[in-house]
Amino acid sequence: RQRQMCIRDRSYWEFTRNLNGLINQYANAAGIASRHIGGVELNRNYKGDANERPTLLPVAPTKQKQALRLLNSYIFAPDALTLPERYYDRQTTDPFSFSLSQDFPVGDQIAAIKRVALTRLFSPGVLRRISNAEYKSGGNPTQTLTLPELFSSVTGNIWAELQQRKNISSQRRQLQRVYADTTVSYTHLRAHET
C-alpha cells in the first residue's frame, strides 16, 4: 500500500512545509557530520585537573570514518536525496505570505546541502588538520582518517556514474562541477603557498 503524501482536503502548503522540514533535517545532519571530519574537540580543563585531557584533541578516527560513510551514503551517493517525481508538482508557496517567487526551489536546496558539505570537507583548514593528524600517527590508517581515504571515497561517490556508464542528472553534474572547482581552487591555492 502506498502512503499518501497529502491528506485529502488539506493544502499542499502543509506537504511543502513538511518536505522543507525534512530537507532542513538533512542539511543539519550533513553539517554535523561534516564537522566531525578533520574536527577537533576543545577541552577546557586546567593543569592539574582530575582526568585532565589534551586541550585540543582530534575527533576519534572511528567517528570521523563513520561521518564520512554517512556523507558518502546519504549526501554524495548517486541516489542520495532523490525525491519521487510526483513530489515536484505538488509543492507550493505559503498562501498567507507575499512572495515574489512563485516556486519552491527544492533542487536548489538539495544542491546547496551537497555543495556546503563538499566544500567543508575539502576546505584548506579541514585538509590541513587531517594531514597533521596523519603525520602525528605516522600515516597509520587505523589511527586516523587519511587524506587518500577521504579523497578516494568522496571521489568514488561523486563520479560513480562514470564507472557505471550511466546518464548523469543535472543535480549530479552540478555536484561534480563543485567538486572540480573545489579541487582546482585548492590546488591553485597550494601552488601559491609554496
Side-chain angles (χ1 to χ4, degrees):
R1 182 175 165 212
Q2 192 173 8
R3 295 180 64 165
Q4 291 182 343
M5 63 179 170
C6 189
I7 300 171
R8 189 171 179 79
D9 297 328
R10 295 263 179 102
S11 166
Y12 279 111
W13 167 240
E14 288 182 39
F15 168 73
T16 303
R17 190 177 60 224
N18 292 337
L19 179 63
N20 194 35
L22 175 66
I23 291 169
N24 286 335
Q25 290 296 318
Y26 264 92
N28 290 337
I32 291 168
S34 69
R35 284 193 297 273
H36 279 79
I37 299 168
V40 177
E41 295 175 1
L42 175 63
N43 296 307
R44 297 185 184 277
N45 52 26
Y46 295 92
K47 184 167 179 62
D49 281 351
N51 301 320
E52 183 178 349
R53 298 178 61 198
T55 53
L56 296 175
L57 187 66
V59 171
T62 53
K63 282 187 177 182
Q64 290 189 56
K65 292 177 182 186
Q66 182 181 21
L68 182 59
R69 283 191 303 275
L70 185 134
L71 289 172
N72 279 324
S73 297
Y74 295 102
I75 304 298
F76 301 136
D79 60 348
L81 288 169
T82 55
L83 300 173
E85 287 184 22
R86 69 182 189 278
Y87 284 17
Y88 297 118
D89 62 352
R90 301 291 194 265
Q91 296 165 5
T92 187
T93 56
D94 184 351
F96 304 109
S97 72
F98 176 75
S99 174
L100 297 176
S101 173
Q102 293 300 313
D103 67 341
F104 183 73
V106 67
D108 293 345
Q109 287 182 307
I110 291 172
I113 293 169
K114 295 178 180 192
R115 182 184 66 249
V116 168
L118 182 63
T119 54
R120 164 80 173 79
L121 287 186
F122 289 172
S123 68
V126 169
L127 296 177
R128 191 172 28 258
R129 285 192 298 274
I130 292 172
S131 177
N132 283 326
E134 187 177 349
Y135 175 78
K136 290 174 186 176
S137 74
N140 185 343
T142 61
Q143 293 182 4
T144 188
L145 175 68
T146 64
L147 286 176
E149 188 176 1
L150 173 70
F151 278 106
S152 67
S153 68
V154 173
T155 301
N157 272 291
I158 291 178
W159 300 96
E161 295 91 347
L162 295 179
Q163 296 169 349
Q164 301 164 354
R165 297 189 181 273
K166 290 185 174 181
N167 285 334
I168 302 171
S169 70
S170 63
Q171 186 81 226
R172 295 289 293 170
R173 284 193 308 272
Q174 189 175 9
L175 178 63
Q176 291 166 352
R177 193 173 309 114
V178 169
Y179 176 92
D181 290 346
T182 303
T183 53
V184 166
S185 67
Y186 179 71
T187 304
H188 182 68
L189 177 70
R190 296 293 295 168
H192 283 86
E193 286 180 356
T194 56

